[in-house]
Amino acid sequence: MTLLSDIEWRKSEDKIAYPDALEQMEQRNAAIHQGETPELIWLLEHPPLYTAGTSADPSELLSQKFPVFQTGRGGRHTYHGPGQRVGYIMLNLKKRQADVRNFVHALEDWVISALAEFGINARAVEGRVGIWCNTPQGEEAKIGAIGIRIRKWVTMHGFSVNIDPDLSHFGGIVPCGISEYPVTSLKQLGVTATLNDFDAALKKTAPDFLAAIDK
């Protein structure tokens, strides 16, 4: 059984430039694979930017208002920026279940459980990437994104959840290739919460996430 105390839990207060985060992730991935350093759950914010996953369609980049970075994670275009909690998860699945699908489902369930701490009934939807909920108007909207990469069975990238970002910034892309539904946030749903509040919910629900990926 994996304990959260066995994993480094890091929170960055400053906004981390995407290339710097990517370099740190790749270095940590290699060190974890070699058994040189503990696994890592890294919570951070980025300055406003767009990322393009391995399935990104150039036609879905509608604006170059913010820098665009290519990344090795799965998925299409997504936005990161202030007011959004990004979680980069670097875990060695060889120590657990070497099952990519199970890891993705467990990651989704973790975010959903953390959102439930604020009374938000979020869910994953078959065939649609991300974390979804209903707005007060009854409209389905996306509140979180999931995108991972696994190298030598060590995970990288992870999730992003909209706490109180500028939602207009999502207008520069077709988020994750899905144009039929809007993007929402805790703030838009009427929930007053800080990034630290959400971090506490993540930490509270992390043991169930780790249990779901253990052997």
Side-chain angles (χ1 to χ4, degrees):
M1 177 181 175
T2 305
L3 299 175
L4 194 56
S5 58
D6 298 330
I7 300 167
E8 181 185 349
W9 182 277
R10 179 194 302 172
K11 288 206 307 185
S12 294
E13 300 301 332
D14 295 331
K15 294 174 180 60
I16 307 297
Y18 191 79
D20 293 344
L22 193 59
E23 182 180 6
Q24 289 188 54
M25 264 196 292
E26 289 176 346
Q27 290 175 353
R28 188 66 173 244
N29 174 284
I32 291 170
H33 173 69
Q34 295 295 331
E36 298 170 352
T37 189
E39 296 164 303
L40 173 64
I41 294 173
W42 184 15
L43 305 178
L44 65 149
E45 280 180 289
H46 287 303
L49 59 91
Y50 299 124
T51 65
T54 54
S55 304
D57 182 340
S59 70
E60 294 171 353
L61 179 65
L62 309 178
S63 167
Q64 304 241 359
K65 179 180 180 181
F66 302 122
V68 182
F69 297 99
Q70 301 295 320
T71 174
R73 63 157 175 81
R76 294 160 92 159
H77 288 97
T78 193
Y79 165 77
H80 294 311
Q84 182 189 70
R85 176 51 84 213
V86 174
Y88 289 143
I89 314 302
M90 284 153 270
L91 300 177
N92 186 353
L93 296 188
K94 278 293 187 183
K95 294 168 54 177
R96 301 178 174 81
Q97 295 184 46
D99 184 330
V100 176
R101 184 181 295 271
N102 180 67
F103 175 75
V104 172
H105 287 165
L107 195 59
E108 291 171 338
D109 288 344
W110 184 21
V111 173
I112 289 165
S113 294
L115 288 167
E117 294 291 310
F118 301 92
I120 295 174
N121 183 20
R123 58 193 174 275
V125 177
E126 187 69 31
R128 226 193 285 158
V129 179
I131 305 299
W132 300 82
C133 63
N134 288 346
T135 67
Q137 293 74 36
E139 187 176 28
E140 251 191 316
K142 186 173 185 177
I143 195 167
I146 302 285
I148 69 161
R149 180 183 179 189
I150 296 177
R151 187 169 64 187
K152 297 181 178 177
W153 288 106
V154 178
T155 66
M156 290 191 291
H157 302 278
F159 63 79
S160 60
V161 178
N162 301 327
I163 309 303
D164 184 18
D166 185 337
L167 294 177
S168 70
H169 291 175
F170 285 89
I173 56 170
V174 178
C176 300
I178 301 171
S179 60
E180 306 95 305
Y181 302 94
V183 175
T184 191
S185 65
L186 270 73
K187 178 69 175 293
Q188 192 181 62
L189 294 173
V191 176
T192 301
T194 65
L195 292 173
N196 286 335
D197 293 335
F198 190 71
D199 296 344
L202 285 169
K203 201 160 194 176
K204 178 180 177 180
T205 52
D208 286 343
F209 162 64
L210 294 173
I213 62 174
D214 267 343
K215 292 180 178 177

